[in-house]
Amino acid sequence: MRLGVRTAAWALALSSIPMLGMAVLTFYSSRTTLREEIDSQLLSAARSELATVSQFVSDAAADLSTWSNLHIIQDVLTDDEEGDASRELARLVRQSSSFTEILALNDRGRVVAATRAAYIGLDLANSTAFRDATTRGAYRSDIERSAIIDRDALTIAEPIRADYDRNTVIGALIGVID
């Protein structure tokens, strides 16, 4: 190659170094900006979904609390001998999109009314849901493996208070959100 061609090639190569540097700098800057924008949008979407889920769980807990005060739920005192409370629980589950199962326990922690007959007689006296509902006034689990439905679920429990004395807890109403 001639000296002029070589000089021109070197000049072209040396002059492209700043452009290459600028291109690399622009690439990394754009990548960082894009990542920050994606992170921001994902965080916003996650916050929105969390608010929706929190509201859903709060509404479900409010429903369970209301249902624990239904007169028919007082049948836990007689171990729901005629099955009226169980029929009402099954109707509530069909009506509500919140719960997969609802169980009514007597004061000894035995399931006396439930959305499914298979749960009747189940002893949940040692469960945290029963103990907290009857002693602390309410219970909400984390999402964890449910002993009731044998899947990951959220469990909510409310005390069942006697109509004749609101200070007397006669059982617990347990709802499972699948």
PDB file of all heavy atoms in Angstrom, residues 92-130:
ATOM      1  N   LEU A  92     -73.161 -19.731  51.236  1.00  0.00           N
ATOM      2  CA  LEU A  92     -72.265 -18.568  51.299  1.00  0.00           C
ATOM      3  C   LEU A  92     -71.055 -18.747  50.386  1.00  0.00           C
ATOM      4  O   LEU A  92     -70.616 -17.800  49.742  1.00  0.00           O
ATOM      5  CB  LEU A  92     -71.829 -18.311  52.740  1.00  0.00           C
ATOM      6  CG  LEU A  92     -72.924 -17.808  53.683  1.00  0.00           C
ATOM      7  CD1 LEU A  92     -72.434 -17.816  55.127  1.00  0.00           C
ATOM      8  CD2 LEU A  92     -73.402 -16.431  53.275  1.00  0.00           C
ATOM      9  N   VAL A  93     -70.509 -19.951  50.324  1.00  0.00           N
ATOM     10  CA  VAL A  93     -69.356 -20.210  49.445  1.00  0.00           C
ATOM     11  C   VAL A  93     -69.768 -20.069  47.984  1.00  0.00           C
ATOM     12  O   VAL A  93     -69.022 -19.507  47.175  1.00  0.00           O
ATOM     13  CB  VAL A  93     -68.735 -21.600  49.725  1.00  0.00           C
ATOM     14  CG1 VAL A  93     -67.820 -22.033  48.604  1.00  0.00           C
ATOM     15  CG2 VAL A  93     -67.950 -21.560  51.021  1.00  0.00           C
ATOM     16  N   ARG A  94     -70.953 -20.572  47.638  1.00  0.00           N
ATOM     17  CA  ARG A  94     -71.430 -20.426  46.255  1.00  0.00           C
ATOM     18  C   ARG A  94     -71.657 -18.957  45.903  1.00  0.00           C
ATOM     19  O   ARG A  94     -71.396 -18.524  44.791  1.00  0.00           O
ATOM     20  CB  ARG A  94     -72.731 -21.212  46.048  1.00  0.00           C
ATOM     21  CG  ARG A  94     -72.539 -22.706  45.913  1.00  0.00           C
ATOM     22  CD  ARG A  94     -73.817 -23.397  45.462  1.00  0.00           C
ATOM     23  NE  ARG A  94     -74.996 -23.051  46.234  1.00  0.00           N
ATOM     24  CZ  ARG A  94     -75.414 -23.672  47.340  1.00  0.00           C
ATOM     25  NH1 ARG A  94     -74.711 -24.684  47.813  1.00  0.00           N
ATOM     26  NH2 ARG A  94     -76.516 -23.291  47.955  1.00  0.00           N
ATOM     27  N   GLN A  95     -72.134 -18.201  46.863  1.00  0.00           N
ATOM     28  CA  GLN A  95     -72.458 -16.785  46.652  1.00  0.00           C
ATOM     29  C   GLN A  95     -71.204 -15.916  46.606  1.00  0.00           C
ATOM     30  O   GLN A  95     -71.155 -14.910  45.910  1.00  0.00           O
ATOM     31  CB  GLN A  95     -73.371 -16.322  47.792  1.00  0.00           C
ATOM     32  CG  GLN A  95     -73.688 -14.857  47.814  1.00  0.00           C
ATOM     33  CD  GLN A  95     -74.506 -14.515  49.055  1.00  0.00           C
ATOM     34  OE1 GLN A  95     -75.342 -15.277  49.499  1.00  0.00           O
ATOM     35  NE2 GLN A  95     -74.234 -13.362  49.621  1.00  0.00           N
ATOM     36  N   SER A  96     -70.197 -16.292  47.334  1.00  0.00           N
ATOM     37  CA  SER A  96     -68.978 -15.493  47.453  1.00  0.00           C
ATOM     38  C   SER A  96     -67.873 -16.079  46.588  1.00  0.00           C
ATOM     39  O   SER A  96     -67.722 -17.284  46.496  1.00  0.00           O
ATOM     40  CB  SER A  96     -68.524 -15.491  48.918  1.00  0.00           C
ATOM     41  OG  SER A  96     -67.204 -15.043  49.033  1.00  0.00           O
ATOM     42  N   SER A  97     -67.085 -15.224  45.997  1.00  0.00           N
ATOM     43  CA  SER A  97     -65.940 -15.719  45.224  1.00  0.00           C
ATOM     44  C   SER A  97     -64.673 -15.766  46.068  1.00  0.00           C
ATOM     45  O   SER A  97     -63.614 -16.126  45.581  1.00  0.00           O
ATOM     46  CB  SER A  97     -65.706 -14.820  44.010  1.00  0.00           C
ATOM     47  OG  SER A  97     -65.385 -13.509  44.446  1.00  0.00           O
ATOM     48  N   SER A  98     -64.798 -15.426  47.342  1.00  0.00           N
ATOM     49  CA  SER A  98     -63.617 -15.335  48.195  1.00  0.00           C
ATOM     50  C   SER A  98     -63.141 -16.680  48.733  1.00  0.00           C
ATOM     51  O   SER A  98     -61.956 -16.977  48.697  1.00  0.00           O
ATOM     52  CB  SER A  98     -63.895 -14.413  49.387  1.00  0.00           C
ATOM     53  OG  SER A  98     -64.257 -13.142  48.954  1.00  0.00           O
ATOM     54  N   PHE A  99     -64.057 -17.466  49.233  1.00  0.00           N
ATOM     55  CA  PHE A  99     -63.667 -18.651  49.986  1.00  0.00           C
ATOM     56  C   PHE A  99     -63.864 -19.940  49.213  1.00  0.00           C
ATOM     57  O   PHE A  99     -64.839 -20.109  48.489  1.00  0.00           O
ATOM     58  CB  PHE A  99     -64.457 -18.724  51.298  1.00  0.00           C
ATOM     59  CG  PHE A  99     -64.128 -17.605  52.238  1.00  0.00           C
ATOM     60  CD1 PHE A  99     -64.963 -16.508  52.344  1.00  0.00           C
ATOM     61  CD2 PHE A  99     -62.966 -17.620  52.993  1.00  0.00           C
ATOM     62  CE1 PHE A  99     -64.662 -15.456  53.196  1.00  0.00           C
ATOM     63  CE2 PHE A  99     -62.651 -16.577  53.839  1.00  0.00           C
ATOM     64  CZ  PHE A  99     -63.502 -15.492  53.937  1.00  0.00           C
ATOM     65  N   THR A 100     -62.918 -20.864  49.423  1.00  0.00           N
ATOM     66  CA  THR A 100     -63.021 -22.215  48.879  1.00  0.00           C
ATOM     67  C   THR A 100     -63.794 -23.092  49.851  1.00  0.00           C
ATOM     68  O   THR A 100     -64.616 -23.895  49.445  1.00  0.00           O
ATOM     69  CB  THR A 100     -61.610 -22.813  48.670  1.00  0.00           C
ATOM     70  OG1 THR A 100     -60.877 -21.947  47.822  1.00  0.00           O
ATOM     71  CG2 THR A 100     -61.684 -24.187  48.066  1.00  0.00           C
ATOM     72  N   GLU A 101     -63.504 -22.930  51.121  1.00  0.00           N
ATOM     73  CA  GLU A 101     -64.152 -23.717  52.178  1.00  0.00           C
ATOM     74  C   GLU A 101     -64.421 -22.818  53.374  1.00  0.00           C
ATOM     75  O   GLU A 101     -63.654 -21.890  53.648  1.00  0.00           O
ATOM     76  CB  GLU A 101     -63.255 -24.877  52.644  1.00  0.00           C
ATOM     77  CG  GLU A 101     -62.812 -25.825  51.563  1.00  0.00           C
ATOM     78  CD  GLU A 101     -63.917 -26.664  50.966  1.00  0.00           C
ATOM     79  OE1 GLU A 101     -65.008 -26.759  51.579  1.00  0.00           O
ATOM     80  OE2 GLU A 101     -63.707 -27.210  49.875  1.00  0.00           O
ATOM     81  N   ILE A 102     -65.500 -23.127  54.086  1.00  0.00           N
ATOM     82  CA  ILE A 102     -65.794 -22.464  55.355  1.00  0.00           C
ATOM     83  C   ILE A 102     -66.177 -23.555  56.344  1.00  0.00           C
ATOM     84  O   ILE A 102     -66.981 -24.444  56.027  1.00  0.00           O
ATOM     85  CB  ILE A 102     -66.938 -21.436  55.245  1.00  0.00           C
ATOM     86  CG1 ILE A 102     -66.633 -20.384  54.190  1.00  0.00           C
ATOM     87  CG2 ILE A 102     -67.173 -20.763  56.604  1.00  0.00           C
ATOM     88  CD1 ILE A 102     -67.764 -19.397  53.949  1.00  0.00           C
ATOM     89  N   LEU A 103     -65.613 -23.474  57.528  1.00  0.00           N
ATOM     90  CA  LEU A 103     -65.871 -24.454  58.578  1.00  0.00           C
ATOM     91  C   LEU A 103     -66.331 -23.731  59.841  1.00  0.00           C
ATOM     92  O   LEU A 103     -65.771 -22.692  60.203  1.00  0.00           O
ATOM     93  CB  LEU A 103     -64.592 -25.238  58.906  1.00  0.00           C
ATOM     94  CG  LEU A 103     -63.750 -25.766  57.753  1.00  0.00           C
ATOM     95  CD1 LEU A 103     -62.441 -26.322  58.261  1.00  0.00           C
ATOM     96  CD2 LEU A 103     -64.521 -26.818  56.994  1.00  0.00           C
ATOM     97  N   ALA A 104     -67.310 -24.299  60.523  1.00  0.00           N
ATOM     98  CA  ALA A 104     -67.740 -23.781  61.821  1.00  0.00           C
ATOM     99  C   ALA A 104     -67.334 -24.799  62.875  1.00  0.00           C
ATOM    100  O   ALA A 104     -67.684 -25.979  62.770  1.00  0.00           O
ATOM    101  CB  ALA A 104     -69.245 -23.546  61.835  1.00  0.00           C
ATOM    102  N   LEU A 105     -66.586 -24.330  63.864  1.00  0.00           N
ATOM    103  CA  LEU A 105     -66.089 -25.200  64.923  1.00  0.00           C
ATOM    104  C   LEU A 105     -66.805 -24.869  66.222  1.00  0.00           C
ATOM    105  O   LEU A 105     -67.085 -23.699  66.504  1.00  0.00           O
ATOM    106  CB  LEU A 105     -64.584 -25.001  65.125  1.00  0.00           C
ATOM    107  CG  LEU A 105     -63.637 -25.569  64.076  1.00  0.00           C
ATOM    108  CD1 LEU A 105     -63.811 -24.922  62.723  1.00  0.00           C
ATOM    109  CD2 LEU A 105     -62.205 -25.416  64.533  1.00  0.00           C
ATOM    110  N   ASN A 106     -67.061 -25.903  67.013  1.00  0.00           N
ATOM    111  CA  ASN A 106     -67.647 -25.656  68.329  1.00  0.00           C
ATOM    112  C   ASN A 106     -66.560 -25.188  69.295  1.00  0.00           C
ATOM    113  O   ASN A 106     -65.393 -25.030  68.901  1.00  0.00           O
ATOM    114  CB  ASN A 106     -68.405 -26.892  68.833  1.00  0.00           C
ATOM    115  CG  ASN A 106     -67.498 -28.098  69.055  1.00  0.00           C
ATOM    116  OD1 ASN A 106     -66.271 -27.995  69.119  1.00  0.00           O
ATOM    117  ND2 ASN A 106     -68.113 -29.264  69.152  1.00  0.00           N
ATOM    118  N   ASP A 107     -66.917 -24.994  70.546  1.00  0.00           N
ATOM    119  CA  ASP A 107     -65.963 -24.463  71.522  1.00  0.00           C
ATOM    120  C   ASP A 107     -64.845 -25.440  71.875  1.00  0.00           C
ATOM    121  O   ASP A 107     -63.871 -25.071  72.529  1.00  0.00           O
ATOM    122  CB  ASP A 107     -66.687 -23.993  72.785  1.00  0.00           C
ATOM    123  CG  ASP A 107     -67.419 -25.111  73.500  1.00  0.00           C
ATOM    124  OD1 ASP A 107     -67.648 -26.184  72.906  1.00  0.00           O
ATOM    125  OD2 ASP A 107     -67.783 -24.902  74.677  1.00  0.00           O
ATOM    126  N   ARG A 108     -64.947 -26.678  71.433  1.00  0.00           N
ATOM    127  CA  ARG A 108     -63.894 -27.681  71.671  1.00  0.00           C
ATOM    128  C   ARG A 108     -62.979 -27.842  70.458  1.00  0.00           C
ATOM    129  O   ARG A 108     -62.069 -28.661  70.461  1.00  0.00           O
ATOM    130  CB  ARG A 108     -64.527 -29.018  72.045  1.00  0.00           C
ATOM    131  CG  ARG A 108     -65.283 -28.956  73.382  1.00  0.00           C
ATOM    132  CD  ARG A 108     -66.013 -30.244  73.732  1.00  0.00           C
ATOM    133  NE  ARG A 108     -66.887 -30.773  72.698  1.00  0.00           N
ATOM    134  CZ  ARG A 108     -68.102 -30.297  72.393  1.00  0.00           C
ATOM    135  NH1 ARG A 108     -68.582 -29.270  73.063  1.00  0.00           N
ATOM    136  NH2 ARG A 108     -68.823 -30.851  71.443  1.00  0.00           N
ATOM    137  N   GLY A 109     -63.255 -27.074  69.397  1.00  0.00           N
ATOM    138  CA  GLY A 109     -62.408 -27.117  68.214  1.00  0.00           C
ATOM    139  C   GLY A 109     -62.758 -28.203  67.223  1.00  0.00           C
ATOM    140  O   GLY A 109     -61.997 -28.487  66.304  1.00  0.00           O
ATOM    141  N   ARG A 110     -63.923 -28.790  67.361  1.00  0.00           N
ATOM    142  CA  ARG A 110     -64.370 -29.827  66.435  1.00  0.00           C
ATOM    143  C   ARG A 110     -65.263 -29.195  65.372  1.00  0.00           C
ATOM    144  O   ARG A 110     -66.123 -28.394  65.681  1.00  0.00           O
ATOM    145  CB  ARG A 110     -65.136 -30.916  67.177  1.00  0.00           C
ATOM    146  CG  ARG A 110     -65.508 -32.068  66.274  1.00  0.00           C
ATOM    147  CD  ARG A 110     -65.669 -33.388  66.970  1.00  0.00           C
ATOM    148  NE  ARG A 110     -64.662 -33.730  67.943  1.00  0.00           N
ATOM    149  CZ  ARG A 110     -63.542 -34.427  67.694  1.00  0.00           C
ATOM    150  NH1 ARG A 110     -63.269 -34.813  66.474  1.00  0.00           N
ATOM    151  NH2 ARG A 110     -62.704 -34.731  68.653  1.00  0.00           N
ATOM    152  N   VAL A 111     -65.044 -29.561  64.102  1.00  0.00           N
ATOM    153  CA  VAL A 111     -65.853 -29.045  62.996  1.00  0.00           C
ATOM    154  C   VAL A 111     -67.245 -29.656  63.106  1.00  0.00           C
ATOM    155  O   VAL A 111     -67.397 -30.886  63.069  1.00  0.00           O
ATOM    156  CB  VAL A 111     -65.228 -29.371  61.625  1.00  0.00           C
ATOM    157  CG1 VAL A 111     -66.135 -28.891  60.499  1.00  0.00           C
ATOM    158  CG2 VAL A 111     -63.842 -28.753  61.498  1.00  0.00           C
ATOM    159  N   VAL A 112     -68.255 -28.788  63.253  1.00  0.00           N
ATOM    160  CA  VAL A 112     -69.636 -29.258  63.374  1.00  0.00           C
ATOM    161  C   VAL A 112     -70.483 -28.835  62.173  1.00  0.00           C
ATOM    162  O   VAL A 112     -71.572 -29.363  61.963  1.00  0.00           O
ATOM    163  CB  VAL A 112     -70.286 -28.777  64.692  1.00  0.00           C
ATOM    164  CG1 VAL A 112     -69.563 -29.397  65.894  1.00  0.00           C
ATOM    165  CG2 VAL A 112     -70.304 -27.274  64.792  1.00  0.00           C
ATOM    166  N   ALA A 113     -70.004 -27.893  61.380  1.00  0.00           N
ATOM    167  CA  ALA A 113     -70.684 -27.472  60.157  1.00  0.00           C
ATOM    168  C   ALA A 113     -69.602 -27.089  59.152  1.00  0.00           C
ATOM    169  O   ALA A 113     -68.594 -26.487  59.525  1.00  0.00           O
ATOM    170  CB  ALA A 113     -71.609 -26.289  60.423  1.00  0.00           C
ATOM    171  N   ALA A 114     -69.839 -27.460  57.896  1.00  0.00           N
ATOM    172  CA  ALA A 114     -68.817 -27.183  56.883  1.00  0.00           C
ATOM    173  C   ALA A 114     -69.449 -27.185  55.502  1.00  0.00           C
ATOM    174  O   ALA A 114     -70.550 -27.692  55.307  1.00  0.00           O
ATOM    175  CB  ALA A 114     -67.711 -28.245  56.943  1.00  0.00           C
ATOM    176  N   THR A 115     -68.700 -26.643  54.566  1.00  0.00           N
ATOM    177  CA  THR A 115     -69.169 -26.612  53.186  1.00  0.00           C
ATOM    178  C   THR A 115     -69.145 -28.007  52.568  1.00  0.00           C
ATOM    179  O   THR A 115     -69.847 -28.262  51.613  1.00  0.00           O
ATOM    180  CB  THR A 115     -68.302 -25.664  52.345  1.00  0.00           C
ATOM    181  OG1 THR A 115     -66.922 -25.995  52.549  1.00  0.00           O
ATOM    182  CG2 THR A 115     -68.539 -24.222  52.743  1.00  0.00           C
ATOM    183  N   ARG A 116     -68.355 -28.889  53.097  1.00  0.00           N
ATOM    184  CA  ARG A 116     -68.301 -30.287  52.632  1.00  0.00           C
ATOM    185  C   ARG A 116     -68.444 -31.218  53.837  1.00  0.00           C
ATOM    186  O   ARG A 116     -67.778 -31.031  54.856  1.00  0.00           O
ATOM    187  CB  ARG A 116     -66.978 -30.575  51.937  1.00  0.00           C
ATOM    188  CG  ARG A 116     -66.777 -29.766  50.679  1.00  0.00           C
ATOM    189  CD  ARG A 116     -65.413 -30.062  50.113  1.00  0.00           C
ATOM    190  NE  ARG A 116     -65.026 -28.982  49.231  1.00  0.00           N
ATOM    191  CZ  ARG A 116     -64.678 -29.155  47.980  1.00  0.00           C
ATOM    192  NH1 ARG A 116     -64.650 -30.360  47.465  1.00  0.00           N
ATOM    193  NH2 ARG A 116     -64.332 -28.127  47.246  1.00  0.00           N
ATOM    194  N   ALA A 117     -69.246 -32.212  53.675  1.00  0.00           N
ATOM    195  CA  ALA A 117     -69.512 -33.152  54.765  1.00  0.00           C
ATOM    196  C   ALA A 117     -68.245 -33.864  55.237  1.00  0.00           C
ATOM    197  O   ALA A 117     -68.163 -34.258  56.402  1.00  0.00           O
ATOM    198  CB  ALA A 117     -70.554 -34.179  54.316  1.00  0.00           C
ATOM    199  N   ALA A 118     -67.268 -34.000  54.370  1.00  0.00           N
ATOM    200  CA  ALA A 118     -66.027 -34.703  54.733  1.00  0.00           C
ATOM    201  C   ALA A 118     -65.293 -34.028  55.893  1.00  0.00           C
ATOM    202  O   ALA A 118     -64.516 -34.674  56.600  1.00  0.00           O
ATOM    203  CB  ALA A 118     -65.111 -34.798  53.521  1.00  0.00           C
ATOM    204  N   TYR A 119     -65.533 -32.739  56.090  1.00  0.00           N
ATOM    205  CA  TYR A 119     -64.835 -32.017  57.167  1.00  0.00           C
ATOM    206  C   TYR A 119     -65.523 -32.165  58.523  1.00  0.00           C
ATOM    207  O   TYR A 119     -64.910 -31.874  59.554  1.00  0.00           O
ATOM    208  CB  TYR A 119     -64.723 -30.531  56.825  1.00  0.00           C
ATOM    209  CG  TYR A 119     -63.885 -30.252  55.601  1.00  0.00           C
ATOM    210  CD1 TYR A 119     -64.414 -29.568  54.521  1.00  0.00           C
ATOM    211  CD2 TYR A 119     -62.568 -30.672  55.528  1.00  0.00           C
ATOM    212  CE1 TYR A 119     -63.663 -29.312  53.394  1.00  0.00           C
ATOM    213  CE2 TYR A 119     -61.802 -30.427  54.402  1.00  0.00           C
ATOM    214  CZ  TYR A 119     -62.353 -29.748  53.341  1.00  0.00           C
ATOM    215  OH  TYR A 119     -61.601 -29.494  52.224  1.00  0.00           O
ATOM    216  N   ILE A 120     -66.770 -32.586  58.550  1.00  0.00           N
ATOM    217  CA  ILE A 120     -67.510 -32.716  59.801  1.00  0.00           C
ATOM    218  C   ILE A 120     -66.794 -33.722  60.699  1.00  0.00           C
ATOM    219  O   ILE A 120     -66.444 -34.811  60.289  1.00  0.00           O
ATOM    220  CB  ILE A 120     -68.973 -33.177  59.557  1.00  0.00           C
ATOM    221  CG1 ILE A 120     -69.692 -32.245  58.597  1.00  0.00           C
ATOM    222  CG2 ILE A 120     -69.724 -33.324  60.879  1.00  0.00           C
ATOM    223  CD1 ILE A 120     -69.948 -30.862  59.107  1.00  0.00           C
ATOM    224  N   GLY A 121     -66.565 -33.315  61.936  1.00  0.00           N
ATOM    225  CA  GLY A 121     -65.890 -34.169  62.911  1.00  0.00           C
ATOM    226  C   GLY A 121     -64.391 -33.942  62.994  1.00  0.00           C
ATOM    227  O   GLY A 121     -63.740 -34.427  63.920  1.00  0.00           O
ATOM    228  N   LEU A 122     -63.833 -33.218  62.048  1.00  0.00           N
ATOM    229  CA  LEU A 122     -62.398 -32.932  62.053  1.00  0.00           C
ATOM    230  C   LEU A 122     -62.034 -32.159  63.315  1.00  0.00           C
ATOM    231  O   LEU A 122     -62.717 -31.210  63.698  1.00  0.00           O
ATOM    232  CB  LEU A 122     -62.038 -32.113  60.809  1.00  0.00           C
ATOM    233  CG  LEU A 122     -60.576 -31.841  60.514  1.00  0.00           C
ATOM    234  CD1 LEU A 122     -59.818 -33.142  60.243  1.00  0.00           C
ATOM    235  CD2 LEU A 122     -60.461 -30.918  59.310  1.00  0.00           C
ATOM    236  N   ASP A 123     -60.981 -32.575  63.997  1.00  0.00           N
ATOM    237  CA  ASP A 123     -60.551 -31.915  65.229  1.00  0.00           C
ATOM    238  C   ASP A 123     -59.475 -30.885  64.907  1.00  0.00           C
ATOM    239  O   ASP A 123     -58.368 -31.244  64.523  1.00  0.00           O
ATOM    240  CB  ASP A 123     -60.014 -32.953  66.213  1.00  0.00           C
ATOM    241  CG  ASP A 123     -59.643 -32.353  67.563  1.00  0.00           C
ATOM    242  OD1 ASP A 123     -59.836 -31.137  67.777  1.00  0.00           O
ATOM    243  OD2 ASP A 123     -59.155 -33.115  68.426  1.00  0.00           O
ATOM    244  N   LEU A 124     -59.824 -29.606  65.058  1.00  0.00           N
ATOM    245  CA  LEU A 124     -58.873 -28.516  64.810  1.00  0.00           C
ATOM    246  C   LEU A 124     -58.575 -27.736  66.090  1.00  0.00           C
ATOM    247  O   LEU A 124     -58.148 -26.585  66.033  1.00  0.00           O
ATOM    248  CB  LEU A 124     -59.422 -27.578  63.732  1.00  0.00           C
ATOM    249  CG  LEU A 124     -59.616 -28.199  62.352  1.00  0.00           C
ATOM    250  CD1 LEU A 124     -60.264 -27.206  61.394  1.00  0.00           C
ATOM    251  CD2 LEU A 124     -58.288 -28.670  61.785  1.00  0.00           C
ATOM    252  N   ALA A 125     -58.781 -28.375  67.234  1.00  0.00           N
ATOM    253  CA  ALA A 125     -58.577 -27.708  68.526  1.00  0.00           C
ATOM    254  C   ALA A 125     -57.149 -27.193  68.692  1.00  0.00           C
ATOM    255  O   ALA A 125     -56.934 -26.164  69.338  1.00  0.00           O
ATOM    256  CB  ALA A 125     -58.923 -28.653  69.668  1.00  0.00           C
ATOM    257  N   ASN A 126     -56.188 -27.883  68.111  1.00  0.00           N
ATOM    258  CA  ASN A 126     -54.792 -27.469  68.260  1.00  0.00           C
ATOM    259  C   ASN A 126     -54.308 -26.571  67.136  1.00  0.00           C
ATOM    260  O   ASN A 126     -53.133 -26.209  67.092  1.00  0.00           O
ATOM    261  CB  ASN A 126     -53.887 -28.698  68.365  1.00  0.00           C
ATOM    262  CG  ASN A 126     -54.134 -29.453  69.652  1.00  0.00           C
ATOM    263  OD1 ASN A 126     -54.379 -28.853  70.694  1.00  0.00           O
ATOM    264  ND2 ASN A 126     -54.108 -30.767  69.577  1.00  0.00           N
ATOM    265  N   SER A 127     -55.196 -26.202  66.230  1.00  0.00           N
ATOM    266  CA  SER A 127     -54.775 -25.335  65.128  1.00  0.00           C
ATOM    267  C   SER A 127     -54.629 -23.897  65.616  1.00  0.00           C
ATOM    268  O   SER A 127     -55.342 -23.437  66.497  1.00  0.00           O
ATOM    269  CB  SER A 127     -55.788 -25.394  63.981  1.00  0.00           C
ATOM    270  OG  SER A 127     -56.987 -24.741  64.348  1.00  0.00           O
ATOM    271  N   THR A 128     -53.692 -23.196  65.024  1.00  0.00           N
ATOM    272  CA  THR A 128     -53.473 -21.789  65.359  1.00  0.00           C
ATOM    273  C   THR A 128     -54.711 -20.966  65.029  1.00  0.00           C
ATOM    274  O   THR A 128     -55.062 -20.044  65.768  1.00  0.00           O
ATOM    275  CB  THR A 128     -52.249 -21.246  64.595  1.00  0.00           C
ATOM    276  OG1 THR A 128     -51.135 -22.096  64.842  1.00  0.00           O
ATOM    277  CG2 THR A 128     -51.912 -19.834  65.016  1.00  0.00           C
ATOM    278  N   ALA A 129     -55.380 -21.295  63.937  1.00  0.00           N
ATOM    279  CA  ALA A 129     -56.580 -20.550  63.535  1.00  0.00           C
ATOM    280  C   ALA A 129     -57.637 -20.618  64.622  1.00  0.00           C
ATOM    281  O   ALA A 129     -58.212 -19.593  65.017  1.00  0.00           O
ATOM    282  CB  ALA A 129     -57.127 -21.099  62.222  1.00  0.00           C
ATOM    283  N   PHE A 130     -57.911 -21.805  65.146  1.00  0.00           N
ATOM    284  CA  PHE A 130     -58.925 -21.951  66.192  1.00  0.00           C
ATOM    285  C   PHE A 130     -58.484 -21.251  67.476  1.00  0.00           C
ATOM    286  O   PHE A 130     -59.250 -20.492  68.077  1.00  0.00           O
ATOM    287  CB  PHE A 130     -59.211 -23.434  66.466  1.00  0.00           C
ATOM    288  CG  PHE A 130     -60.153 -23.641  67.619  1.00  0.00           C
ATOM    289  CD1 PHE A 130     -61.509 -23.381  67.472  1.00  0.00           C
ATOM    290  CD2 PHE A 130     -59.689 -24.077  68.857  1.00  0.00           C
ATOM    291  CE1 PHE A 130     -62.391 -23.553  68.536  1.00  0.00           C
ATOM    292  CE2 PHE A 130     -60.554 -24.260  69.919  1.00  0.00           C
ATOM    293  CZ  PHE A 130     -61.906 -23.996  69.767  1.00  0.00           C
TER     294      PHE A 130
END
